[in-house]
Amino acid sequence: MLTTYQTAIEIALRTLTIYLVVLAGIRLTGKREVGQMTPFDLTLLLLLSNSVQNAMTGPDTSLVGGIVAACVLLIMNSLVAFIAGKNKKLRHTLEGSPTVLVHNGKLMEACMKRENVSLDEIQRALREHGIEHVNEVALAVLEVDGAISCLKYDDVGHAHQHPHRLRFLQRHQ
């Protein structure tokens, strides 16, 4: 019985370590919305999950070992989400901050490069927002969830009617 508890604790510690390493790795690789995942992103995610499985459970392939690993992952995810919800600094560290991609109709190429966002991705986001050309954009921002938000000059002109837009613009200018 002692061996079972020792094994469960070892699996829990291994899983905790892998969770933190993968979380840090995903955070460092940049922002990408799940719906915007490329086939390369999906392949990486699938291979990553398969590659860390044995590191979490070690030689234990039992049902109990899998349950311990799954429970630790679920608990850690809930705990991190809870703490990040209460702590702005941790949330910023884990999620990052929005990045301006287009400002006053001009592409911010250094920001695009840093965030690994292509012109094609920006053009797709513009089309999704009903915008034909970059020069019509007052502001396009890569949000922390990987989505690209776009504001046309018309939206900026009506910002006084929408205080949240005005605050958004003031923060990103």
Side-chain angles (χ1 to χ4, degrees):
M1 195 65 150
L2 182 60
T3 305
T4 304
Y5 287 122
Q6 287 174 331
T7 302
I9 289 170
E10 182 181 335
I11 291 171
L13 291 173
R14 287 168 163 262
T15 302
L16 172 64
T17 303
I18 293 299
Y19 177 85
L20 294 173
V21 168
V22 171
L23 180 64
I26 289 173
R27 171 63 185 98
L28 293 173
T29 59
K31 307 168 196 145
R32 179 136 351 232
E33 191 170 20
V34 173
Q36 295 177 340
M37 288 178 67
T38 66
F40 305 111
D41 297 325
L42 181 59
T43 301
L44 174 65
L45 187 61
L46 292 172
L47 292 174
L48 183 61
S49 64
N50 191 45
S51 70
V52 300
Q53 176 198 358
N54 291 340
M56 288 189 296
T57 59
D60 186 332
T61 58
S62 68
L63 178 62
V64 172
I67 290 171
V68 169
C71 287
V72 169
L73 289 171
L74 292 169
I75 290 167
M76 281 304 301
N77 198 57
S78 296
L79 184 62
V80 167
F82 176 77
I83 294 170
K86 302 241 180 245
N87 185 318
K88 189 175 182 176
K89 187 173 184 177
L90 177 63
R91 185 171 54 249
H92 177 75
T93 300
L94 292 176
E95 295 178 357
S97 58
T99 304
V100 176
L101 300 174
V102 179
H103 185 259
N104 288 332
K106 302 222 182 318
L107 293 170
M108 308 303 290
E109 292 181 17
C111 296
M112 290 170 56
K113 186 175 181 179
R114 183 178 70 241
E115 296 291 349
N116 200 24
V117 175
S118 69
L119 179 58
D120 289 341
E121 290 173 298
I122 291 176
Q123 290 172 331
R124 182 178 339 128
L126 296 181
R127 287 190 299 274
E128 289 172 357
H129 287 85
I131 302 170
E132 291 184 37
H133 302 287
V134 172
N135 59 6
E136 298 173 40
V137 178
L139 191 67
V141 176
L142 178 63
E143 302 293 350
V144 296
D145 66 357
I148 298 175
S149 299
C150 302
L151 291 176
K152 298 187 289 187
Y153 286 108
D154 291 345
D155 295 333
V156 175
H158 299 287
H160 65 280
Q161 296 172 350
H162 304 279
H164 65 281
R165 285 185 183 166
L166 186 58
R167 285 191 302 275
F168 178 84
L169 287 169
Q170 290 168 340
R171 277 196 321 262
H172 291 91
Q173 286 185 345

